[in-house]
Amino acid sequence: MAAVRRWSEGMASDNVKGLVLALSSSLFIGASFIVKKKGLKKAGASGIRAGSGGYSYLLEPLWWVGMITMVVGEIANFAAYAFAPAILVTPLGALSIIISAALAHIILREKLHTFGILGCVLCVVGSTAIVLHAPPERQIESVTEVWDLATEPGFLFYALLVLTAVFILIFHFVPQYGQSHIMVYIGVCSLVGSISVMSVKAVGIALKLTFSGMNQLVYPQTWAFTLVVVTCVVTQMNYLNKALDTFNTAVVSPIYYVMFTTLTILASVIMFKDWDRQNPTQIITEMCGFVTILSGTFLLHKTKDMVDGTSLTSMSMRQLKHEEEDDFDESIPLKRQDSLRIP
């Protein structure tokens, strides 16, 4: 109760706005995954699939509906970062996992196992623990202060590591393993996403201060952060489309969430020094909450594999029985069975 009381008192200002905006963002983004997936499937039926390097989805209205829904969610998310720290805003993306998994089960017929539901519950519990112990937003009076934080050695080193990893993934691993290893596409999205969130927060703070009467648009740093945001978002969308078109939505969403959240919190801790304003108990509680979220997303991932594996086994058994009845050669069922495996 004491923790709840402290949380309520601390959330009486900008953090409340950030929380509401973050929740709204998750609702829109969770739904957008499903709408975009439907659009990608429809576009792939009549053109080159996004997973194979095609862009026919750009001519598909349904994909644009999903894109607009995601943009609305991202705008709400953008605003949330201007009012609340990343440690509070980012974990609330767990709600988008639940929405995405539930809609995928209903609309896309991608079955959600009972333990997958437990995974969703764990995501909510973990997010709640983090929100209850989130630090207050750092008071910043100018976008130049954010620039100073971004150009400190610690964050510059992190940004250099991220850029190096992204280039290695794009030019070496994507051509060879993009179609068979889900972590390749999602790795690019998550790494770039951690940088984009820091830039989004900087631009959000600049706009917030501008609307309050302190014009930040005259500073070149504001436009530098804006350029980084545009570049990162375009890259994220491109590789997220590839991941959605190639792999199961109920798998893409949680893995993307885990990697994106982990890297974003790490970037925020390095750049904005969120943990400097917290005691060890709060930090440990946040970490426990995050581990709980990881457990939930792991359940979602593994139970989806269980459902897919059961379906494939049933199909293979039916195929074998059919071949035996027709007295075909024994090697034929094996070839047919191989064709059913997920690459």
Side-chain angles (χ1 to χ4, degrees):
M1 292 299 295
V4 174
R5 191 179 304 110
R6 287 196 301 270
W7 172 73
S8 299
E9 293 172 355
M11 292 290 286
S13 57
D14 283 352
N15 276 17
V16 174
K17 299 176 183 176
L19 176 61
V20 173
L21 288 167
L23 290 173
S24 301
S25 171
S26 294
L27 290 171
F28 281 105
I29 292 175
S32 74
F33 274 104
I34 307 305
V35 180
K36 287 176 67 180
K37 178 79 172 186
K38 294 283 285 185
L40 288 168
K41 281 187 172 182
K42 191 174 180 181
S46 58
I48 301 175
R49 296 170 56 244
S52 301
Y55 294 91
S56 58
Y57 60 85
L58 294 175
L59 301 177
E60 176 54 51
L62 190 59
W63 181 86
W64 283 105
V65 171
M67 190 64 184
I68 292 171
T69 304
M70 177 169 279
V71 168
V72 172
E74 292 295 349
I75 290 174
N77 199 47
F78 177 96
Y81 282 112
F83 291 98
I87 287 181
L88 187 153
V89 175
T90 307
L92 292 178
L95 180 59
S96 67
I97 296 178
I98 299 170
I99 295 171
S100 179
L103 291 178
H105 176 76
I106 297 170
I107 298 175
L108 300 179
R109 306 300 181 186
E110 297 177 358
K111 294 183 180 180
L112 183 63
H113 195 275
T114 302
F115 286 107
I117 298 174
L118 176 60
C120 292
V121 173
L122 288 175
C123 289
V124 172
V125 172
S127 296
T128 302
I130 291 177
V131 170
L132 288 174
H133 296 83
E137 172 69 328
R138 184 188 184 113
Q139 295 301 314
I140 295 178
E141 302 297 330
S142 171
V143 71
T144 57
E145 291 184 35
V146 185
W147 183 263
D148 291 339
L149 293 172
T151 53
E152 288 185 356
F155 188 74
L156 285 178
F157 179 70
Y158 172 79
L160 180 61
L161 286 179
V162 167
L163 288 176
T164 301
V166 167
F167 279 116
I168 291 174
L169 284 172
I170 290 177
F171 293 106
H172 178 69
F173 289 97
V174 166
Q176 297 184 44
Y177 306 107
Q179 293 291 308
S180 57
H181 292 73
I182 191 172
M183 301 302 292
V184 176
Y185 288 146
I186 296 181
V188 175
C189 294
S190 302
L191 287 165
V192 173
S194 67
I195 300 297
S196 71
V197 167
M198 298 302 101
S199 300
V200 161
K201 187 169 181 63
V203 175
I205 290 172
L207 292 176
K208 175 185 172 184
L209 293 173
T210 299
F211 292 144
S212 66
M214 296 180 285
N215 187 11
Q216 303 295 303
L217 302 181
V218 297
Y219 294 107
Q221 290 91 336
T222 301
W223 300 105
F225 281 125
T226 302
L227 180 61
V228 174
V229 170
V230 173
T231 303
C232 290
V233 168
V234 169
T235 303
Q236 281 179 267
M237 290 300 99
N238 182 37
Y239 286 96
L240 183 57
N241 283 330
K242 292 178 182 294
L244 283 171
D245 191 49
T246 306
F247 304 100
N248 196 304
T249 306
V251 176
V252 171
S253 298
I255 294 179
Y256 175 55
Y257 168 77
V258 170
M259 290 190 65
F260 172 72
T261 303
T262 302
L263 292 170
T264 298
I265 290 177
L266 176 62
S268 182
V269 167
I270 295 173
M271 181 171 170
F272 290 97
K273 301 174 177 62
D274 294 322
W275 284 349
D276 290 353
R277 306 188 296 281
Q278 294 186 287
N279 59 50
T281 301
Q282 291 174 313
I283 295 174
I284 292 173
T285 303
E286 287 174 0
M287 294 303 296
C288 289
F290 188 60
V291 170
T292 303
I293 295 175
L294 291 179
S295 301
T297 53
F298 175 79
L299 270 179
L300 279 169
H301 186 191
K302 296 307 293 182
T303 54
K304 188 59 189 176
D305 285 346
M306 288 166 58
V307 172
D308 289 343
T310 302
S311 299
L312 288 175
T313 301
S314 299
M315 291 173 65
S316 298
M317 290 180 66
R318 288 196 300 269
Q319 183 69 33
L320 285 168
K321 182 178 180 181
H322 174 74
E323 298 294 348
E324 288 173 357
E325 290 175 351
D326 289 347
D327 294 324
F328 281 145
D329 186 83
E330 292 182 357
S331 63
I332 297 178
L334 294 176
K335 293 179 180 178
R336 297 284 182 86
Q337 187 176 3
D338 288 341
S339 70
L340 294 171
R341 294 176 185 168
I342 297 176

